Amino acid sequence: REGGRLFGLDHTEAQGRKMRELLAVDSAAMLDTVIGEVVRGRFRKNFDLYAVRDDGEERCLACSAGAVAGSGTDGRVCMISLRDVTETREMQTELKTTKEFLENLIDSSVDAIIAGDIKGNIILFNKGAEKVYGYRADEVIGRVHVSKLYPPGVAQEIMVQLRSDNF
């Protein structure tokens, strides 16, 4: 029943249909490849297939496939586990796009932008910071404590101010 729902079919409509008929063209080709691997005894996990439902909606299905004992010609049956991850994949794509946008924005800023972790280790050093300080990002990130970028004692003063209720 759940398989029918994933593909937008009543469970009786899904019975007897070949799975590849319910998939996008590229996914149908991938399914053939996966089945070939399973027949050769390989377990395949964590791959996506795209189902095209009768209403035209495309759903992303996270899959794992393996052989199980059965009545197939070689005594094995290919079992595929499916989970609808459409919304998850859409969020991942949106987050990746946002991350790339923000990284480009920070990196292209003419201002020096530096970030440190809770211990003061530099984790971000943009091109503006490279120009101001004369270091390349790869020389500083994960290698230099933020206090080394300030005159002695100034980094501690700034941290006191940042943690102050009055600042």
Side-chain angles (χ1 to χ4, degrees), residues 13 20 22-24 48 56 59 61 66 80 110 112 121 134 158 163:
E13 295 174 302
R20 71 180 336 277
L22 306 172
L23 299 173
D48 289 347
R59 304 301 294 175
L61 308 173
I80 301 175
V110 295
N121 300 308
I158 291 171
R163 292 178 178 146

Side-chain angles (χ1 to χ4, degrees), residues 102-116:
L102 292 173
E103 286 173 344
N104 288 333
L105 184 66
I106 288 168
D107 204 41
S108 64
S109 174
V110 295
D111 295 323
I113 301 175
I114 302 165

Side-chain angles (χ1 to χ4, degrees), residues 117-152:
D117 64 14
I118 195 76
K119 294 179 181 178
N121 300 308
I122 296 174
I123 58 172
L124 184 130
F125 199 82
N126 76 338
K127 294 201 185 307
E130 289 180 344
K131 289 178 185 170
V132 169
Y133 288 97
Y135 299 112
R136 289 189 330 269
D138 62 347
E139 295 174 311
V140 202
I141 295 174
R143 297 179 178 182
V144 175
H145 192 271
V146 72
S147 63
K148 301 294 182 198
L149 301 177
Y150 295 95

Side-chain angles (χ1 to χ4, degrees), residues 92-108:
Q92 287 173 333
T93 300
E94 189 174 326
L95 284 171
K96 182 181 177 195
T97 301
T98 301
K99 178 183 178 284
E100 290 170 354
F101 171 77
L102 292 173
E103 286 173 344
N104 288 333
L105 184 66
I106 288 168
D107 204 41
S108 64

